[in-house]
Amino acid sequence: MNGRQAVPSIRGKPGWLRRLDPLTKGIWLLCTGLAVMLTLSLTAQLLWFLIVLLIAGTGAGWRLKQWRLFALWALGFGLPLLLFQWLMLPSGGEEPLWQPFGSGGPTLTASALELSAALTLRSMTLFASSIVYATTTEPRDVVVALTQQLRMPDKLAYAAAVALRFVPLLLAEAEQIRRAERLRRLTPVRGVGGRLQSARRMALAIVRSALRHVQDVSTAMEAKRFGSARARTQWRRIAISPVGCLLAAATIGAAAATLVWL
Amino acid sequence: MNMPLLRLSQVSFNYPDAPCLLKELNLTIEQGSVTVILGESGSGKSTLSRIMAKVMPEHEGQLDGSVYVSDETVGHMGGELSSFVIGVVEDELAFGPANLGVDSMEIERRIDRELMRMNMLDYRLSAMEQLSGGQQQQIAASSVWTMEPQLLIMDDAWSHLDKDAKLLFADALLLWLKESSARALVMILPRVEQRDQSHPLWLQANWLELKHGQLHPTVPFELARSFSTSKGSEGESTIREDRNVDEPWKVAAIKLEDARSSYPDSVFGIQADGVLMQGEAVLLQGENGSGKTTLLHMITQSLPLLHGTASIAGHSLAKLKAHVLARLIGYVPQSSYAMFLYSTVQQELEFVYDSTIAIGQEPNTLWCLANLLDEYDGCSVEKVDPITKRTQGKQDDLRTEWVNNHLELLGLTHRAEDHPQEISAANRRMLSLIMATAHRPHLLILDEPTAGLDERSASALIQYCEMLRQQGTALIVATHDELWDRYAQERSNWHIWMMNNGNLRIHNDEPVIEN
Amino acid sequence: MALLAAANGVATSLLSHVNKLLHGWGGPILTSTIVGVYMVYGLLAMYIIRKPGAAAGTYAIGALLQIMVGTSYGIWSAIAAAACYAVIVEPLFFIYRYKRFGWLAMLFAGVAMVPLWFVVAAFMFGYIHYSSTVLIVSLFVRCASGMLLCGGLTKWIGDRLASTRYVRPYALGQQHNNAA
Ligand SMILES: Nc1ncnc2c1ncn2[C@@H]1O[C@H](COP(=O)(O)OP(=O)(O)OP(=O)(O)O)[C@@H](O)[C@H]1O
Ligand SMILES: Nc1ncnc2c1ncn2[C@@H]1O[C@H](COP(=O)(O)OP(=O)(O)OP(=O)(O)O)[C@@H](O)[C@H]1O
Ligand SMILES: [Mg+2]
Ligand SMILES: [Mg+2]
């Protein structure tokens, strides 16, 4: 319960994915995305989805709470999507599996179900892989990778870095403003109108404070001589890890295999 | 003769649509010199520092005169708490030197050295948002320092530091100056605290005061002395008068029993015990990062109460609805910008008025504030009649009147359309205070209210708080500022709570020793 | 620019989850209703900065940001969408010579940005398998959304910002100052 030794770290507990460099992880992400996008076979989609889950399960170091949230989201949009697409996708004139509203109503066929399941799984894989990447990668590492390994110009990479920095900052600030608003309003919000008004008030306040921050940050960057003539030192280096290479290679292989065989 | 590092001659500056802020100002900074620039809030100190460091964007205002800055590196630390680039401590420290192309080993060494100096080695990978106010300021200063500039310009560099940290900082500055005779330091401060006066850094300093847009040589510590002598005796007399007045309010404004709270995703937690009666005030003290702000977060329901009990004016904190709590307390956060919701000062005041009227209260009227700001006279608050039935039109008139009166009190009538963030620190703090107290809260919570304020505004603010206390408001003030200390020492209703590493133990349950 | 992208990053991530639900419950048609909001940030950057590359750069950063923050549509859609928008906006304003920023021009830009990404998205998410009525309706909804939520909203926000000091260094602020 005591202070000093207890230091907040940037994100929760470590997993092996967290230790990978952003670049090879990025390749994994891209290939996974590409593979599921280019195939329509249900087996392939299912396989990819399971692989992503497996990787997340072993490497992401999510806590139970995060898993629960993830599951909730995945089901919350996955199931309705499955049903919706099953209903909407053309049946192709085949024997209906089930006609919920009698013969006149919409039909649900086996082929539509298969297609719908494949499409749903594709969405889920895209979603899951992206979340896994985002939760296991430090934004500042990405900036380092961009400038060092992809040779992106400093200016651009730092614009991105600053943008990234704003995300937690904006969230923190939005939270602060929300609290301030609550303490200053003195009355509970009533009805839709009140809620809208208070939302508008907060949104504008957030935008304004964000704008102010940009000004501050650009002054700070200038004061610290960003972009002065001499070459910037890359004081942090990120090594490409062997595990990362392995993962990237495996994913590329798997993606190729998917495209060829499935 | 030493080489000048910086020379301003006939420099004038004004922000758009504003009167001239700096008028034909001259200044020369030589190698090996220490310059301290004092100045009241809003006198243009920050503006001057930005011009000196050449970080004043052209579109901000009209700059005339010549500014010469030598090619050597200039380090500039601005007063804002939020001017970080990347947001992780070690990156922040490395950013400056990396821009200058310093060797990576060297950068590494400087980071370690700085963190060691501040005793913050454990925080190397922390995100900036997760640091306490003082820690952020420390990092802001060091992130400039790691650039090892020749000329170091520090604007309001330590207003949030505790007194030990401040002394360490001053020591380090002195050491840094001695290392090479080519270095120069410019410190921009609203005032110097009495207890720091003996520090050797000040002995070699060249003292200037920024006033009416020009720099004048000044005698240091004059202000500080005047406060203690003039205030001391008067303070005594107020105590006598107040004694009996204080009696009626003997309800606990806040009561904490083994109350615990902590940040999500962080191991830092606080544990607090304490009782504060109506009409009493307490100074919440403790070193940087000891959990003062965290405690206040808990009281304002920003952090959950995880264990124990806490009650405010007899209501249990855990069961209190947000809006009920809001009526009971007034809160001014450490970073004052966290309070503003609108784009103009006028709208802020109008909102305060409206929301106070909405709960059937007459907004607090602070006529005496004008006196406080002008001179240090105490005064009585004009008692306002309770709401009588009024027509809608009358109500609007009253609103305009209330808002205009307050603008006038703050001296902001001509700046009503300005963003609350652009007015000077003192006005900003006063505005926050007005916003927090318009609904006459039972408990007023202030987080570092006088950090970075000059002596006059700070004492006005303190006096105003004392006045509210006399009316029965309970006060919690988290602060490192010695002005409060001195004020509290003279009064029996002011106590001190010490926060130590997340633990609040009551330093002295009895009133602080009376002189 | 970075800021707009950042603000968008947050908004998009939140929106993308809302969108995900809409998608789940109503497929392409419902999703299409708010598609305009996604495109605001780049267009707004163009509106403020008025230089070649303003929108493209902002969209690029926005895409990068979405990857970092996590988007529920996956990495490719973030990249592709940004590319599709940029490919339309940049030439459009080049033709306008970075001079025309009236209501009409903005509304038109909003509409113009929609179709390309719609086609790409249709392939990506398999909308292509839906019947053509559904597709046409959703394209229509999207255009309306692009026009109002992107073109209109951008113009509205931009004009609101014009008087603040934050845009003073950019074309929008300068124009405002000159006019005043
Ligand atoms: N960007 C700005 N636009 C317009 N006016 C400004 C701006 N920044 C500051 N001012 C105004 O200029 C005056 C001087 O501001 P400055 O920040 O230089 O004062 P200061 O001496 O540093 O005071 P303090 O730090 O106590 O606020 C103030 O009245 C302030 O309201
Ligand atoms: N949002 C946060 N998330 C996690 N930890 C935090 C957060 N904010 C502060 N902390 C940690 O909690 C501890 C106490 O911080 P707090 O802000 O309460 O200190 P403080 O006593 O107010 O110090 P100061 O005098 O510097 O303002 C610090 O060690 C800090 O690192
Ligand atoms: Mg200042
Ligand atoms: Mg604090």
Side-chain angles (χ1 to χ4, degrees):
Chain A
M1 222 47 191
N2 273 349
R4 271 287 139 89
Q5 65 278 35
V7 173
S9 81
I10 303 170
R11 267 170 192 161
K13 71 179 191 206
W16 60 266
L17 263 178
R18 232 173 264 268
R19 284 192 298 273
L20 289 192
D21 65 306
L23 200 64
T24 46
K25 226 184 317 179
I27 295 177
W28 164 74
L29 182 63
L30 284 170
C31 289
T32 307
L34 199 63
V36 292
M37 215 100 78
L38 292 181
T39 172
L40 260 182
S41 116
L42 185 57
T43 4
Q45 298 287 1
L46 197 61
L47 271 177
W48 276 107
F49 185 60
L50 289 179
I51 290 174
V52 170
L53 280 190
L54 189 75
I55 289 177
T58 57
W62 283 352
R63 292 203 202 83
L64 201 65
K65 206 173 98 201
Q66 284 164 305
W67 274 108
R68 223 174 319 154
L69 211 66
F70 172 76
L72 216 69
W73 263 115
L75 289 181
F77 96 88
L79 283 182
L81 180 64
L82 185 73
L83 279 176
F84 178 85
Q85 291 189 333
W86 196 8
L87 270 171
M88 292 299 288
L89 288 173
S91 50
E94 62 185 289
E95 194 60 11
L97 264 182
W98 180 40
Q99 277 188 312
F101 305 110
S103 53
T107 51
L108 298 170
T109 60
S111 71
L113 175 61
E114 196 184 322
L115 191 57
S116 161
L119 289 178
T120 307
L121 276 173
R122 174 193 287 181
S123 287
M124 303 258 268
T125 313
L126 289 174
F127 169 60
S129 61
S130 149
I131 294 290
V132 166
Y133 186 79
T135 52
T136 57
T137 314
E138 296 282 348
R140 62 188 195 127
D141 288 347
V142 178
V143 175
V144 175
L146 285 179
T147 49
Q148 277 172 17
Q149 282 141 13
L150 298 182
R151 306 251 165 259
M152 211 192 229
D154 279 347
K155 279 251 156 70
L156 205 63
Y158 269 87
V162 170
L164 286 174
R165 154 144 177 66
F166 275 119
V167 176
L169 206 96
L170 274 183
L171 288 178
E173 203 134 299
E175 178 63 22
Q176 263 185 344
I177 288 173
R178 198 180 62 80
R179 282 181 204 145
E181 207 257 2
R182 210 177 50 190
L183 280 183
R184 286 187 56 194
R185 197 177 348 95
L186 304 178
T187 40
V189 268
R190 283 205 199 83
V192 182
R195 230 165 270 268
L196 267 181
Q197 199 189 9
S198 114
R200 199 183 128 243
R201 185 156 56 219
M202 284 192 276
L204 282 175
I206 291 168
V207 169
R208 245 178 259 120
S209 83
L211 283 168
R212 201 176 47 75
H213 270 303
V214 181
Q215 217 84 352
D216 289 350
V217 171
S218 66
T219 313
M221 285 174 84
E222 205 183 329
K224 290 176 187 161
R225 301 286 174 271
F226 181 67
S228 66
R230 279 166 277 185
R232 250 186 85 83
T233 313
Q234 309 282 346
W235 77 279
R236 269 186 54 185
R237 305 216 147 258
I238 289 188
I240 295 193
S241 53
V243 187
C245 291
L246 208 69
L247 178 72
T251 324
I252 294 176
T258 315
L259 297 190
V260 175
W261 286 305
L262 294 164
Chain B
M1 195 71 208
N2 280 331
M3 282 275 299
L5 284 172
L6 177 145
R7 178 176 284 142
L8 305 182
S9 50
Q10 303 289 309
V11 167
S12 302
F13 183 85
N14 68 302
Y15 287 106
D17 314 324
C20 207
L21 196 56
L22 305 178
K23 295 184 198 109
E24 308 192 337
L25 174 145
N26 296 310
L27 174 69
T28 308
I29 307 282
E30 279 165 2
Q31 293 186 338
S33 67
V34 180
T35 312
V36 182
I37 298 178
L38 299 174
E40 289 195 351
S41 189
S43 58
K45 300 184 299 294
S46 306
T47 310
L48 177 63
S49 83
R50 283 165 75 197
I51 291 173
M52 285 176 12
K54 293 200 142 178
V55 288
M56 179 64 87
E58 233 166 68
H59 60 91
E60 283 266 26
Q62 171 84 28
L63 176 66
D64 297 313
S66 80
V67 180
Y68 159 81
V69 183
S70 83
D71 291 334
E72 307 301 335
T73 39
V74 176
H76 171 250
M77 182 210 163
E80 291 290 325
L81 281 183
S82 57
S83 45
F84 299 107
V85 181
I86 306 168
V88 176
V89 170
E90 65 167 4
D91 284 278
E92 220 41 73
L93 295 180
F95 184 73
N99 287 337
L100 296 175
V102 176
D103 178 63
S104 349
M105 295 294 287
E106 173 65 16
I107 295 182
E108 199 72 38
R109 199 185 61 76
R110 289 184 195 175
I111 294 177
D112 285 338
R113 188 195 61 200
E114 285 299 308
L115 289 175
M116 188 93 83
R117 181 177 68 74
M118 297 178 294
N119 191 16
M120 283 180 64
L121 279 173
D122 292 344
Y123 293 92
R124 193 178 168 127
L125 291 177
S126 300
M128 294 309 308
E129 293 84 19
Q130 298 181 333
L131 296 184
S132 80
Q135 289 168 338
Q136 288 185 18
Q137 208 172 26
Q138 292 256 23
I139 298 295
S142 326
S143 66
V144 175
W145 217 337
T146 48
M147 290 164 66
E148 305 219 322
Q150 280 234 299
L151 173 61
L152 189 59
I153 303 172
M154 296 264 189
D155 179 14
D156 191 21
W158 57 31
S159 55
H160 287 262
L161 300 196
D162 63 51
K163 61 174 191 286
D164 295 333
K166 227 183 260 189
L167 284 180
L168 282 178
F169 193 14
D171 288 342
L173 279 172
L174 196 63
L175 205 68
W176 172 81
L177 272 172
K178 281 193 180 138
E179 269 172 28
S180 151
S181 63
R183 293 175 176 165
L185 171 69
V186 179
M187 290 286 280
I188 296 177
L189 302 168
R191 69 187 132 104
V192 181
E193 303 207 315
Q194 254 179 359
R195 62 183 170 215
D196 302 334
Q197 283 177 15
S198 51
H199 198 275
L201 183 64
W202 304 132
L203 294 181
Q204 44 174 303
N206 174 23
W207 295 81
L208 296 172
E209 187 182 7
L210 182 62
K211 206 169 185 178
H212 309 307
Q214 296 221 300
L215 286 169
H216 308 284
T218 185
V219 188
F221 312 125
E222 195 182 32
L223 281 168
R225 273 196 217 103
S226 75
F227 175 78
S228 68
T229 49
S230 78
K231 256 354 285 172
S233 53
E234 201 187 303
E236 290 294 339
S237 66
T238 4
I239 303 176
R240 304 279 131 70
E241 286 165 27
D242 294 340
R243 276 278 157 72
N244 38 7
V245 188
D246 283 343
E247 291 316 315
W249 305 288
K250 284 303 173 197
V251 198
I254 182 163
K255 190 167 185 180
L256 303 169
E257 277 168 355
D258 194 25
R260 295 186 195 185
S261 185
S262 68
Y263 289 102
D265 294 333
S266 158
V267 232
F268 183 84
I270 53 155
Q271 188 209 343
D273 281 287
V275 183
L276 184 67
M277 292 301 185
Q278 289 285 287
E280 286 190 327
V282 70
L283 299 184
L284 185 59
Q285 297 182 329
E287 60 183 15
N288 289 133
S290 57
K292 299 182 293 298
T293 304
T294 314
L295 176 66
L296 303 186
H297 278 327
M298 183 187 82
I299 298 174
T300 53
Q301 287 186 338
S302 296
L303 285 175
L305 179 68
L306 296 175
H307 183 269
T309 57
S311 63
I312 293 182
H315 307 270
S316 161
L317 184 63
K319 297 198 196 87
L320 216 51
K321 292 233 174 55
H323 69 273
V324 184
L325 178 76
R327 288 175 200 190
L328 293 175
I329 64 172
Y331 176 48
V332 178
Q334 189 161 9
S335 44
S336 59
Y337 61 80
M339 229 183 139
F340 300 120
L341 298 173
Y342 289 95
S343 58
T344 69
V345 176
Q346 174 150 10
Q347 284 174 316
E348 294 284 355
L349 285 171
E350 282 168 0
F351 179 59
V352 172
Y353 187 89
D354 289 346
S355 49
T356 313
I357 291 291
I359 59 168
Q361 276 233 13
E362 185 80 2
N364 215 347
T365 316
L366 321 160
W367 299 118
C368 63
L369 201 63
N371 304 347
L372 287 178
L373 286 169
D374 285 343
E375 52 215 279
Y376 304 145
D377 277 348
C379 65
S380 59
V381 176
E382 187 163 308
K383 294 274 179 220
V384 205
D385 307 331
I387 300 191
T388 43
K389 284 162 228 91
R390 290 190 180 99
T391 56
Q392 188 58 43
K394 194 104 181 279
Q395 189 75 60
D396 279 350
D397 285 349
L398 282 173
R399 174 175 182 233
T400 323
E401 192 188 321
W402 189 85
V403 170
N404 287 342
N405 280 333
H406 280 85
L407 283 173
E408 202 172 319
L409 286 177
L410 289 168
L412 290 175
T413 314
H414 56 289
R415 309 199 55 179
E417 294 299 313
D418 279 13
H419 193 281
Q421 211 53 52
E422 279 176 16
I423 61 182
S424 75
N427 282 335
R428 200 157 63 218
R429 223 57 76 81
M430 267 301 173
L431 179 63
S432 317
L433 200 56
I434 291 176
M435 290 174 355
T437 54
H439 62 289
R440 301 160 198 265
H442 288 260
L443 174 66
L444 178 60
I445 300 170
L446 307 173
D447 202 348
E448 294 290 357
T450 52
L453 294 198
D454 61 66
E455 182 109 9
R456 197 171 61 98
S457 337
S459 1
L461 195 145
I462 297 177
Q463 301 257 314
Y464 175 53
C465 290
E466 167 69 5
M467 207 181 61
L468 288 171
R469 188 195 64 72
Q470 286 171 16
Q471 293 177 339
T473 309
L475 280 175
I476 298 183
V477 184
T479 187
H480 304 295
D481 197 330
E482 68 162 358
L483 284 179
W484 289 95
D485 256 340
R486 271 193 278 151
Y487 202 81
Q489 270 166 20
E490 294 163 357
R491 281 163 181 77
S492 57
N493 287 312
W494 289 72
H495 311 277
I496 288 183
W497 286 0
M498 263 306 205
M499 198 83 191
N500 194 346
N501 233 347
N503 290 311
L504 177 67
R505 33 183 190 85
I506 306 306
H507 176 66
N508 196 347
D509 230 345
E510 287 301 295
V512 185
I513 322 97
E514 287 173 52
N515 304 10
Chain C
M1 203 161 92
L3 166 86
L4 283 174
N8 169 264
V10 179
T12 315
S13 312
L14 295 182
L15 260 184
S16 83
H17 295 296
V18 174
N19 206 359
K20 201 82 203 176
L21 276 189
L22 284 183
H23 190 172
W25 293 95
I29 300 179
L30 262 189
T31 335
S32 301
T33 52
I34 58 165
V35 79
V37 181
Y38 282 82
M39 320 187 300
V40 168
Y41 65 115
L43 195 58
L44 190 59
M46 180 55 92
Y47 189 72
I48 292 175
I49 301 174
R50 307 190 175 178
K51 286 219 180 79
T58 311
Y59 278 127
I61 294 172
L64 193 66
L65 207 74
Q66 282 186 44
I67 297 170
M68 294 311 310
V69 179
T71 142
S72 45
Y73 285 99
I75 178 167
W76 284 103
S77 73
I79 297 174
C84 291
Y85 296 149
V87 152
I88 301 284
V89 182
E90 288 290 339
L92 186 69
F93 282 95
F94 180 74
I95 294 170
Y96 285 166
R97 303 204 168 278
Y98 305 98
K99 289 230 164 59
R100 290 180 54 187
F101 287 92
W103 276 100
L104 221 63
M106 294 308 279
L107 291 184
F108 178 70
V111 178
M113 282 156 78
V114 170
L116 180 60
W117 168 234
F118 181 70
V119 173
V120 177
F123 279 98
M124 252 180 185
F125 298 113
Y127 299 161
I128 203 78
H129 302 282
Y130 293 108
S131 66
S132 44
T133 16
V134 175
L135 286 183
I136 288 167
V137 169
S138 55
L139 177 63
F140 191 73
V141 173
R142 268 184 187 224
C143 285
S145 155
M147 183 163 93
L148 296 176
L149 286 183
C150 177
L153 197 64
T154 306
K155 177 88 180 144
W156 187 77
I157 296 179
D159 288 346
R160 215 95 326 192
L161 288 178
S163 61
T164 62
R165 72 184 178 100
Y166 310 110
V167 294
R168 259 181 231 159
Y170 307 113
L172 176 62
Q174 275 156 17
Q175 185 203 27
H176 178 85
N177 280 355
N178 293 344

